């Protein structure tokens, strides 16, 4: 009887080990067609991806946001000490295709971004009291310069990267680097106080930034495939 029990238990152990190996093998060979991910870099984003052709072509829909501000940057212009407040506000929905020409991690990415906001704002004020002729102006009352940059709401995207949108394993990661190709920014300038006359330089400012048509993008992405 002891030999029979030993034989049965030994058989159960062998079967259990084979079953576990089969389960692991099945999971590793499973074709995963969907993934959700989060990305960090030029802002924060989350996305959904779908396999169109395994190891070759994927489509991704994502939402990205970059909201950031720096206040009180000290700059000296024409001998005057200035305080500069800068804010960025970019929010967009993207639809992108990732193509892997060599069926490995390297990819070429193309798509389009739809921006609800794509704005940079710069406000400049005097740090200290200033004197014009014989008149001294208090820093708080001497005026400020408000410059606003707005790009077009729709912009194509091109880039390169490493990592599949839908990883072969459950967990994956990827790097993306590229740029949105937009129109030239529309710049508005508003000046108050003693520098109010500089508001007529708005046209010259738009000409100076006419070539700023690229909005760079870079990210590190973590994903879960299923």
């Amino acid at each position: 009887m002891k030999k029979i029990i030993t034989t049965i238990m030994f058989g159960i152990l062998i079967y259990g080990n084979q079953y576990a190996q089969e389960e692991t093998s099945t999971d590793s060979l499973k074709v995963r067609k969907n993934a959700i991910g989060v990305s960090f870099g030029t802002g924060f984003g989350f996305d959904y991806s779908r396999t169109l052709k395994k190891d070759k072509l994927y489509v991704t829909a994502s939402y990205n946001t970059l909201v950031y501000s720096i206040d009180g940057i000290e700059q000296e212009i024409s001998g005057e000490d200035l305080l500069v407040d800068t804010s960025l506000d970019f929010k967009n929905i993207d639809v992108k295709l990732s193509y892997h020409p060599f069926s490995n991690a390297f990819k070429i990415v193309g798509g389009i971004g739809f921006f609800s906001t794509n704005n940079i704002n710069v406000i400049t004020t005097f740090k200290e009291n200033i004197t014009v002729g014989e008149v001294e102006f208090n820093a708080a009352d001497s005026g400020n310069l408000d410059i606003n940059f707005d790009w077009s709401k729709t912009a194509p995207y091109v880039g390169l990267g490493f990592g599949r949108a839908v990883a072969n394993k459950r967990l994956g990661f990827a790097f993306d680097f590229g740029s949105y190709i937009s129109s030239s920014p529309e710049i508005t300038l508003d000046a108050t106080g003693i520098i109010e006359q500089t508001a007529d330089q708005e046209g010259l400012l738009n000409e100076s930034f006419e070539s700023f048509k690229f909005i760079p993008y870079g990210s590190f992405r973590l994903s879960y495939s299923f």
Side-chain angles (χ1 to χ4, degrees), residues 176-210:
D176 285 87
F177 306 94
S179 177
Y180 297 94
I181 305 172
S182 183
S183 60
S184 300
E186 180 181 348
I187 304 173
T188 56
L189 189 155
D190 184 29
T192 62
I194 63 173
I195 55 174
E196 187 174 0
Q197 68 275 13
T198 60
D200 60 5
Q201 300 298 311
E202 186 176 290
L204 180 61
L205 197 61
N206 274 276
E207 291 180 10
S208 300
F209 286 88
E210 189 174 2

Side-chain angles (χ1 to χ4, degrees), residues 81-102:
D81 292 327
L82 303 175
L83 295 177
V84 181
D85 298 340
T86 303
S87 64
L88 295 83
D89 188 356
F90 289 85
K91 298 183 182 72
N92 58 291
I93 295 174
D94 293 347
V95 178
K96 297 176 182 176
L97 287 174
S98 303
Y99 174 62
H100 297 253
F102 310 114

Side-chain angles (χ1 to χ4, degrees), residues 159-178:
L160 301 174
F162 294 89
R164 295 179 176 85
V166 181
N168 291 332
K169 297 181 179 180
R170 287 191 183 277
L171 298 179
F173 66 90
F175 297 92
D176 285 87
F177 306 94

Side-chain angles (χ1 to χ4, degrees), residues 77-78 80-84 122-128 130-132 137-147 189-202:
I77 300 178
S78 301
E80 299 291 345
D81 292 327
L82 303 175
L83 295 177
V84 181
V122 179
I123 299 178
T124 301
T125 56
F126 291 98
K127 181 182 178 181
E128 299 175 347
I130 62 171
T131 302
V132 179
F137 293 88
N138 183 278
D141 301 325
S142 56
N144 61 63
L145 187 65
D146 189 338
I147 307 174
L189 189 155
D190 184 29
T192 62
I194 63 173
I195 55 174
E196 187 174 0
Q197 68 275 13
T198 60
D200 60 5
Q201 300 298 311
E202 186 176 290

Side-chain angles (χ1 to χ4, degrees), residues 10-72:
F10 184 69
I12 292 173
L13 289 173
I14 293 177
Y15 175 77
N17 183 57
Q18 290 179 338
Y19 179 78
Q21 290 179 349
E22 289 176 359
E23 283 292 296
T24 302
S25 177
T26 301
D27 184 70
S28 63
L29 294 175
K30 181 180 178 180
V31 178
R32 308 181 195 281
K33 294 186 177 181
N34 306 278
I36 53 175
V38 293
S39 56
F40 311 89
T42 311
F44 169 79
F46 56 90
D47 62 72
Y48 166 77
S49 297
R50 172 79 178 177
T51 302
L52 299 181
K53 185 176 182 182
K54 188 177 184 300
D55 293 335
K56 277 290 186 181
L57 190 63
Y58 304 87
V59 62
T60 299
S62 62
Y63 173 78
N64 308 291
T65 178
L66 171 60
V67 179
Y68 186 71
S69 64
I70 305 177
D71 296 333

